[in-house]
Amino acid sequence: MIPHYDVAVVGFGPTGVVAAALLSQHGLRVYACDRLPDVYEIPRAISLDHEIQRIFQQIGVLDKVAAHCEPFTPSEYYGVEGQLIRRMTMLPPPWPLGHVPSVVFSQPPVERALRAHVASEDRVTVELGVTATRVMQDDDGVLLELSGSTAEPRVRAKYVIACDGGASGTRAQIGIELEDLDFDEPWLVVDVLVNEQGLSKLPRVSMQYCEPERPSTLVIGPGNHRRWEISLNDGEDPQVMATPERTWELLARWLQPDDGDLWRQASYRFHALVAERWRVGRVFVAGDAAHMQPPFLGQGMCQGMRDVANLSWKLAAVINGEVRGPAASALMNSYGDERKAHVRELTSRIKGVGAVICERDPVQARARDARLLAESDGVVRDTPRQDILPRLETGCLAEVDHPARGTLFPQPWLRQADGTYLLMDDTFGCGWRLVGLEEPSGEVILPPESALRLIVAARVQERDGVLVDWFARQDLRWVLVRPDHYVYGVARDIPQLRSLLNDWHRRVPVVTALAFT
């Protein structure tokens, strides 16, 4: 007898574990495996944004993860002559998603907290030290052949999500190639646990040294964790530069060996790559298996979690029978359409940030400094990091465009009956939501609550006015929000709302009978 599951997740790093948690939350039976026997103890990712914290909130681990996070300090960019040329910060309060917009974190304990949560889920089976050696699919599902510390040599699932990293064996087996987005540079990444003596020597904010002779980054991590990303020059051997001796030579500008302990030093080639396809039959790719981007905005791990947040509700709708037939295939295909376009656009913007940091020509670097200062009239102003993130442009979105369509919908704090405040998702859940300034008139017949939750701003009491302010800025009265918190479509009046709901029912038909007049 071969064990059967709804979804198998290959790779149990941050992307895979969040996929398993979200799928389980939708009532699906999940199998997950990873070739490593435990959490990788060396930090890789170091920053998260408020969208990812909202996902942690949704799966119920935010409090456990928060213990290992701290607000991201501003990032100051310094030019050729050591002058400040740019400052990137976070959005000011009240925060639109209810969470600190940018945080730094320690990856190993965060991963352990995520895994501990998933281990408590009865619907999830996890096997570590196990490799999926072969992937075979037919019209009804996917068969995985496994090796390692597994109870079963084979498992079967209706669908598979490959979260097995940049060298994904699953991606290779299903024949997906990576497109090169034209970025390939050698860098040294150094993590140091700095002692009190060393901390007294370092800046209090994160720094970008936009210097032609050797561009470098210093990130203020949580606690005494500091990270340097140091560009390598032509002719420097990456392996030699990663030795402790050469690493301390590069750090001499900031620290001496008695100022802290090296936690990790590793040479990398920073790439910009994206999968040409994100789905082959019943197998999907996500996380580093689907894309890699330069680290200049710390979006690598965030991108993987966006992937599975996008995919999980769509798979659940299909597997649970809520969406069927051609609409089911279209919904699953929208995953790759949306995420590939979003990744390409964000990678382009990240490369633009990298171009500011990495200019090697001194003449061009001075011109860059002058241009940036001229654009701000000589006064460096704060640029919120979140302004860099694009919206969704295609996929499961209403036909009628609007600047708010494809953006993340805000999450206000709402007053409860006992006088306390809860975030909106904790109050109303994370399914399809119709949010409006007022209740629709009788001309619009809404579906049963199980299919669409109605949230009326006039009926709730906000703590900070986030919801009402958002509607005022967008000049809207109603908005239809997807389960992953992205805006499906908007309406300014009753005819537009009627059209929006019919558009939604036509493109994402749920089995429950809906009537729209």
Side-chain angles (χ1 to χ4, degrees):
M1 295 292 294
I2 299 174
H4 282 63
Y5 298 88
D6 292 311
V7 182
V9 179
V10 179
F12 204 56
T15 298
V17 71
V18 169
L22 289 168
L23 292 164
S24 172
Q25 197 171 58
H26 285 292
L28 303 182
R29 294 186 65 245
V30 181
Y31 173 84
C33 66
D34 195 278
R35 64 181 181 83
L36 295 178
D38 205 344
V39 168
Y40 190 61
E41 289 297 334
I42 301 298
R44 290 162 291 179
I46 196 171
S47 66
L48 297 169
D49 62 26
H50 52 180
E51 180 179 2
I52 308 309
Q53 293 174 80
R54 193 175 187 178
I55 294 171
F56 291 161
Q57 173 197 346
Q58 179 176 340
I59 61 179
V61 298
L62 184 63
D63 289 344
K64 296 175 182 177
V65 167
H68 310 289
C69 300
E70 294 180 8
F72 205 141
T73 64
S75 295
E76 296 187 346
Y77 291 58
Y78 288 87
V80 176
E81 304 299 334
Q83 75 276 41
L84 181 67
I85 57 173
R86 171 185 278 183
R87 182 188 296 109
M88 300 195 76
T89 59
M90 65 176 72
L91 296 166
W95 296 317
L97 302 191
H99 302 292
V100 179
S102 300
V103 299
V104 289
F105 75 107
S106 182
Q107 184 173 348
V110 166
E111 281 200 56
R112 281 193 289 271
L114 291 169
R115 288 189 178 191
H117 171 77
V118 171
S120 69
E121 296 288 332
D122 294 337
R123 288 183 288 267
V124 182
T125 298
V126 179
E127 291 192 314
L128 302 178
V130 171
T131 300
T133 57
R134 192 176 180 193
V135 181
M136 297 168 286
Q137 57 178 311
D138 54 39
D139 291 341
D140 300 316
V142 185
L143 183 69
L144 295 180
E145 290 189 354
L146 309 170
S147 66
S149 306
T150 178
E152 298 286 346
R154 295 183 295 174
V155 299
R156 188 169 176 83
K158 295 173 184 175
Y159 296 93
V160 167
I161 307 176
C163 305
D164 49 344
S168 171
T170 309
R171 184 188 66 222
Q173 287 190 56
I174 60 176
I176 293 179
E177 300 290 336
L178 293 176
E179 298 177 8
D180 191 339
L181 301 183
D182 192 26
F183 192 94
D184 181 17
E185 292 189 4
W187 287 67
L188 180 71
V189 179
V190 184
D191 292 280
V192 182
L193 297 177
V194 185
N195 59 33
E196 289 298 325
Q197 171 181 291
L199 289 174
S200 67
K201 300 178 179 181
L202 296 177
R204 302 304 182 195
V205 298
S206 298
M207 305 282 282
Q208 298 283 0
Y209 301 93
C210 308
E211 301 165 351
E213 58 272 20
R214 192 185 294 278
S216 304
T217 300
L218 166 59
V219 177
I220 309 295
N224 65 335
H225 178 194
R226 300 294 181 268
R227 168 169 293 181
W228 282 264
E229 294 165 356
I230 303 172
S231 180
L232 299 182
N233 293 327
D234 291 342
E236 291 179 333
D237 186 323
Q239 299 307 313
V240 171
M241 302 304 287
T243 61
E245 295 77 16
R246 293 306 306 275
T247 296
W248 279 116
E249 289 179 13
L250 291 173
L251 294 179
R253 173 177 184 171
W254 301 277
L255 297 176
Q256 298 300 316
D258 60 353
D259 291 323
D261 298 316
L262 292 178
W263 189 359
R264 172 188 70 152
Q265 67 274 4
S267 55
Y268 292 93
R269 295 199 74 89
F270 291 162
H271 295 292
L273 304 169
V274 64
E276 60 176 1
R277 293 177 291 166
W278 291 55
R279 174 193 180 192
V280 174
R282 291 175 172 266
V283 182
F284 300 83
V285 292
D288 286 354
H291 47 73
M292 284 172 273
Q293 51 269 312
F296 302 117
L297 288 177
Q299 285 291 310
M301 196 168 103
C302 296
Q303 289 285 63
M305 293 186 180
R306 288 190 190 100
D307 294 343
V308 294
N310 183 299
L311 179 59
S312 60
W313 69 268
K314 296 174 180 178
L315 279 179
V318 173
I319 294 171
N320 290 331
E322 297 166 359
V323 180
R324 299 175 180 173
S329 182
L331 185 62
M332 291 189 293
N333 285 337
S334 72
Y335 162 66
D337 295 340
E338 292 175 9
R339 293 300 305 136
K340 182 176 181 179
H342 189 271
V343 166
R344 288 183 68 96
E345 177 59 27
L346 181 53
T347 300
S348 175
R349 298 182 186 191
I350 291 172
K351 286 172 57 181
V353 173
V356 171
I357 299 169
C358 300
E359 178 57 63
R360 291 291 197 147
D361 184 299
V363 174
Q364 293 298 322
R366 286 186 170 84
R368 169 207 63 201
D369 297 349
R371 183 184 70 255
L372 289 174
L373 290 172
E375 289 172 353
S376 60
D377 296 324
V379 179
V380 176
R381 297 177 176 84
D382 292 350
T383 301
R385 295 182 181 95
Q386 283 65 41
D387 288 356
I388 301 294
L389 299 179
R391 66 173 185 160
L392 298 180
E393 296 284 357
T394 186
C396 184
L397 301 171
E399 292 181 356
V400 177
D401 195 11
H402 183 276
R405 190 193 69 164
T407 64
L408 277 168
F409 191 68
Q411 181 185 208
W413 287 89
L414 302 179
R415 184 180 174 85
Q416 308 299 303
D418 62 0
T420 61
Y421 286 86
L422 281 180
L423 285 164
M424 185 179 71
D425 298 349
D426 293 333
T427 306
F428 292 104
C430 300
W432 285 94
R433 288 147 288 174
L434 179 64
V435 188
L437 289 175
E438 59 198 47
E439 188 168 356
S441 70
E443 300 175 63
V444 176
I445 302 174
L446 297 177
E449 186 174 289
S450 60
L452 183 65
R453 179 65 63 88
L454 175 64
I455 304 172
V456 180
R459 294 182 188 168
V460 299
Q461 183 178 344
E462 291 189 69
R463 189 183 70 183
D464 305 307
V466 168
L467 201 59
V468 172
D469 288 349
W470 187 89
F471 274 102
R473 289 196 309 273
Q474 302 294 339
D475 188 25
L476 296 171
R477 290 172 69 191
W478 292 283
V479 58
L480 183 58
V481 182
R482 306 188 331 179
D484 57 1
H485 316 302
Y486 281 85
V487 173
Y488 176 85
V490 303
R492 287 194 175 98
D493 52 36
I494 289 294
Q496 286 186 7
L497 177 58
R498 188 184 303 117
S499 176
L500 171 63
L501 291 174
N502 277 303
D503 171 284
W504 172 62
H505 180 45
R506 182 176 65 255
R507 300 183 64 192
V508 192
V510 294
V511 170
T512 307
L514 305 179
F516 303 116
T517 60

